[in-house]
Amino acid sequence: MNSQTVTKSDWYKKMSFYQIWIRSFADGDGDGIGDLYGVYDKLEYIKSLGVDGIWFSPLYPSPNADYGYDISDYKDIHPDYGDLDQFRKVLDKAHELGLKVIMDLVINHTSDEHPWFIESKKGADNPYSDYYIWRDKPNNWDSLFEGKAWEYVPERGQYYLHIFAKKQPDLNMDNPKVREEVKSIMRFWLDMGVDGFREDVINFISKKEGLPDGLPFLPAAKGMPHYKDGPHIHEYLAEFRQVCNEYDCFQVGEGPMTTIKTAMDYLTGPTKSLDMMFSFDHMMADCFYTEYMHRPFSLPKLKKAFSSWQYALEGKGWNALYMENHDHPRIISRYGSHYYWKESGKMLAACYLFLKGTPFIYQGQEIGMTNIRLPSIEHYMDISSKNNYYNYHKKEDPDKRLKRIHLSSRDSARTPVQWDDSQYAGFSTVRPWFYVNPNYKKINVAGEEKDESSILNFYRKCLKLRKSSDTLIYGKYKEYFPKDRQLYVYDRCLDNESYLIICSFSRLPVKLKRPDKYIGKKARLVLCNYEKEGHIRGFLRPFECRIYRYKD
Ligand code: GLC
């Protein structure tokens, strides 16, 4: 790719995104729940980070069995968050500020309270009867959130499929009418002016014909061939792509358990149906499928995950880069250190923001929010945490199970954003819907705004640097010392310029290693997460990261 050419269709390559999970972002109307009024007031802040777009996790009406990922109306806004007029105001202001806006498109399933399902339940002879997947006899599939994947409905005398919770029945994408509905939803938001979609579990939407028995989710958690990357997936995505092409919008797909090999079909070649994909590989450097199995963090594993995707997509596809989102616990608590909170928070920013791809930053990540530890499982809200506690791990003793939840619950990403050190962390004027992390007096936006060396300001510096350099956007990636258990070292090269990124994941000082090709060459240190003083020559301080620039 030539460094200068950003054609109409690849504007997203230069961008970086900020993800909003609205319920916990900012409460603008004083009811303890984040909303679009809060978002409106924070748009300048988002812009100030140096990002170019916002991804909204679902804003639609939903009974909140899975906090918005169970939609009961695709063409409206949840009353907790505002209304369509307020959404339009947010959209217009975001656009005025130069921020693109993408919506979450959740089409593998709806809520069981969606009118389509309410009708479908009634029997096999109404217009919505084939909108969902009904069978007389269930197969052996397990759901990801609640026991078996089938639920019996006496009214209809049949079982419906739910890969996630019971309240999230899977849509029957093989039904052309359902696909027309999807296109109509897309057009609804695109006509309003949104710029694209993040597509939820998009690799699940086409199921294997005949729905044969498959490997159960446990213990063969490696893959779910029976409902992943199904036979018609690319046909269906091509139809949706067609809609997007009418609008110059872009699509990033979420691909749980996607391998590089299958991702290539989505991202490259004749079927290229998505612009980017969120892979989960690097999220498994300490645990498998969020709360299922917890392992000690392994840096080589993290590096391998990053590098494999970087190498495989070079010149062929484009990566979506992220370290946090609403489905994963906070990274400082996982891959960094609470003791070296500031240093590790900054290093973890640098370790992925300079990879090749479009970075996504999750609300609160930019100030180094950390995991919350609630005293009992009853305090947690997330359906998947509860499922892990009560079902997957029911044989373990309760203390061990709670410890797992502390380490891995999605709720750690869902505590209210810490705006300042006032009551309720400035998120709301009343008690928020969910617990505020007690560390808000130390970790909050207002405090970090005032501190030049804060994690917040480091994110700004990283994003500014990335944006300023074609090398950091289009340059080739190469990793060095892959087996090293403490350092992550990679470079990005384009023409006669290189950036060398060195990140220490160690709590102790470690020897600075540089690839041979850079030894003796003149370098400029362009970014570091420590002040200049106190540096021992040839060593990196705990969690130190350095970014050097070389020019021939
Ligand atoms: C995706 C979402 C997650 C949700 C699931 C089911 O993985 O990111 O939050 O629970 O899909 O919709």
Side-chain angles (χ1 to χ4, degrees):
M1 161 106 221
N2 180 299
S3 60
Q4 303 305 329
T5 50
V6 178
T7 58
K8 196 167 168 251
S9 59
D10 63 9
W11 45 259
Y12 57 85
K13 291 187 178 171
K14 283 201 162 189
M15 295 181 63
S16 49
F17 278 89
Y18 188 77
Q19 182 195 348
I20 293 183
W21 195 81
I22 193 162
R23 206 168 182 80
S24 287
F25 182 66
D27 174 16
D29 65 359
D31 62 357
I33 297 173
D35 50 44
L36 287 166
Y37 310 99
V39 172
Y40 187 88
D41 291 341
K42 300 293 184 193
L43 285 172
E44 284 86 359
Y45 166 77
I46 295 170
K47 176 73 186 173
S48 81
L49 300 174
V51 297
D52 314 276
I54 297 171
W55 150 29
F56 279 112
S57 274
L59 302 173
Y60 322 102
S62 158
N64 282 334
D66 187 19
Y67 285 101
Y69 286 89
D70 49 319
I71 298 170
S72 52
D73 183 352
Y74 287 92
K75 296 182 180 170
D76 205 348
I77 296 292
H78 195 302
D80 282 351
Y81 309 143
D83 53 22
L84 282 170
D85 279 345
Q86 185 58 22
F87 177 75
R88 283 192 198 94
K89 283 188 190 144
V90 167
L91 183 63
D92 289 348
K93 185 170 165 190
H95 283 162
E96 273 162 33
L97 290 166
L99 296 168
K100 302 257 186 202
V101 172
I102 66 170
M103 301 296 271
D104 221 305
L105 188 69
V106 186
I107 52 166
N108 179 66
H109 45 265
T110 67
S111 162
D112 66 340
E113 296 181 34
H114 193 291
W116 300 336
F117 191 73
I118 294 172
E119 287 305 307
S120 195
K121 262 191 339 193
K122 291 183 181 160
D125 54 358
N126 79 58
Y128 297 95
S129 56
D130 287 337
Y131 267 45
Y132 296 86
I133 301 173
W134 294 97
R135 288 290 176 273
D136 294 334
K137 272 199 194 136
N139 64 15
N140 75 343
W141 297 1
D142 285 317
S143 84
L144 293 174
F145 281 175
E146 254 184 328
K148 287 286 164 200
W150 296 90
E151 187 67 9
Y152 186 66
V153 175
E155 201 181 345
R156 179 159 166 155
Q158 282 187 308
Y159 294 81
Y160 68 85
L161 176 70
H162 63 92
I163 300 292
F164 291 90
K166 288 179 191 158
K167 283 186 72 61
Q168 292 170 296
D170 280 49
L171 280 164
N172 175 16
M173 209 49 76
D174 295 335
N175 180 347
K177 283 198 227 149
V178 172
R179 303 202 296 279
E180 286 311 312
E181 299 277 11
V182 171
K183 290 182 233 173
S184 147
I185 295 163
M186 293 173 86
R187 287 208 169 88
F188 177 84
W189 293 103
L190 291 167
D191 286 339
M192 204 180 295
V194 311
D195 304 286
F197 300 100
R198 175 266 187 190
E199 301 182 0
D200 192 64
V201 293
I202 199 67
N203 53 338
F204 288 10
I205 64 167
S206 160
K207 273 84 181 175
K208 211 169 190 175
E209 262 146 40
L211 308 180
D213 278 357
L215 296 171
F217 178 58
L218 291 171
K222 268 209 145 168
M224 284 169 280
H226 39 294
Y227 53 77
K228 194 165 74 74
D229 310 311
H232 302 289
I233 183 83
H234 295 293
E235 264 166 64
Y236 300 162
L237 290 183
E239 288 184 32
F240 306 152
R241 182 64 146 187
Q242 203 53 43
V243 176
C244 277
N245 287 345
E246 292 164 26
Y247 294 83
D248 183 31
C249 79
F250 101 106
Q251 299 168 281
V252 50
E254 184 207 24
M257 286 149 280
T258 289
T259 60
I260 293 179
K261 196 163 168 284
T262 48
M264 294 306 266
D265 297 333
Y266 291 85
L267 300 173
T268 65
T271 51
K272 185 179 188 295
S273 37
L274 296 170
D275 298 299
M276 311 178 227
M277 239 175 160
F278 289 122
S279 121
F280 280 54
D281 291 357
H282 63 294
M283 287 287 114
M284 294 182 191
D286 68 340
C287 64
F288 184 72
Y289 206 74
T290 49
E291 295 104 307
Y292 167 52
M293 191 193 291
H294 204 89
R295 305 185 182 125
F297 168 63
S298 153
L299 178 60
K301 212 166 163 190
L302 179 73
K303 298 194 293 185
K304 190 168 174 221
F306 278 147
S307 291
S308 322
W309 282 81
Q310 292 283 308
Y311 291 141
L313 266 59
E314 175 58 44
K316 298 191 185 113
W318 195 253
N319 274 291
L321 310 170
Y322 75 98
M323 287 294 269
E324 282 188 9
N325 65 31
H326 64 291
D327 287 335
H328 301 283
R330 297 286 184 178
I331 36 171
I332 296 182
S333 307
R334 298 174 68 181
Y335 299 167
S337 149
H338 287 173
Y339 185 77
Y340 290 108
W341 164 73
K342 202 184 216 185
E343 295 77 8
S344 66
K346 293 198 233 176
M347 182 281 290
L348 288 166
C351 90
Y352 89 106
L353 289 176
F354 299 115
L355 295 173
K356 188 166 183 173
T358 298
F360 288 73
I361 295 161
Y362 178 64
Q363 64 186 38
Q365 179 188 337
E366 79 281 14
I367 55 166
M369 282 177 64
T370 60
N371 286 353
I372 194 162
R373 279 167 178 256
L374 296 170
S376 80
I377 187 66
E378 281 72 42
H379 291 75
Y380 285 83
M381 311 288 266
D382 166 38
I383 186 165
S384 123
S385 306
K386 290 195 188 283
N387 188 37
N388 285 302
Y389 186 92
Y390 290 117
N391 296 326
Y392 288 164
H393 300 296
K394 63 176 173 233
K395 294 204 179 106
E396 284 179 0
D397 77 79
D399 285 351
K400 190 165 177 209
R401 280 189 273 166
L402 188 62
K403 206 170 157 212
R404 275 179 189 280
I405 300 296
H406 288 161
L407 288 167
S408 55
S409 172
R410 307 197 295 183
D411 276 341
S412 275
R414 299 176 179 190
T415 61
V417 169
Q418 296 159 205
W419 293 102
D420 60 38
D421 63 1
S422 67
Q423 199 186 18
Y424 309 131
F427 164 77
S428 176
T429 49
V430 301
R431 182 180 294 282
W433 76 280
F434 193 44
Y435 305 97
V436 173
N437 194 313
N439 64 20
Y440 72 94
K441 295 238 177 235
K442 173 181 167 199
I443 302 176
N444 63 67
V445 174
E448 295 194 31
E449 287 285 9
K450 287 186 226 134
D451 172 8
E452 183 46 37
S453 72
S454 62
I455 297 179
L456 172 61
N457 281 317
F458 193 76
Y459 268 86
R460 289 186 171 126
K461 285 174 198 160
C462 289
L463 290 173
K464 192 168 169 205
L465 177 61
R466 175 185 179 275
K467 237 303 189 34
S468 71
S469 156
D470 274 357
T471 304
L472 288 172
I473 294 170
Y474 300 108
K476 252 195 169 164
Y477 166 94
K478 184 166 164 54
E479 188 201 340
Y480 300 88
F481 318 119
K483 297 221 168 74
D484 194 297
R485 307 190 74 81
Q486 292 161 320
L487 294 184
Y488 180 27
V489 181
Y490 65 90
D491 66 8
R492 302 286 311 281
C493 304
L494 185 76
D495 302 331
N496 59 351
E497 188 183 55
S498 303
Y499 282 86
L500 178 65
I501 292 94
I502 304 178
C503 296
S504 167
F505 280 70
S506 171
R507 286 168 174 73
L508 299 170
V510 284
K511 214 162 179 319
L512 172 67
K513 281 207 260 186
R514 265 179 238 241
D516 288 348
K517 72 187 245 203
Y518 292 111
I519 292 173
K521 269 194 159 186
K522 224 173 121 211
R524 195 159 73 82
L525 182 65
V526 286
L527 203 56
C528 175
N529 58 345
Y530 275 83
E531 306 304 317
K532 287 220 169 64
E533 311 81 57
H535 152 69
I536 311 172
R537 225 181 138 69
F539 281 84
L540 291 168
R541 289 159 281 190
F543 294 99
E544 182 161 357
C545 67
R546 296 197 196 171
I547 291 99
Y548 291 101
R549 176 169 175 257
Y550 294 84
K551 202 147 172 104
D552 289 341

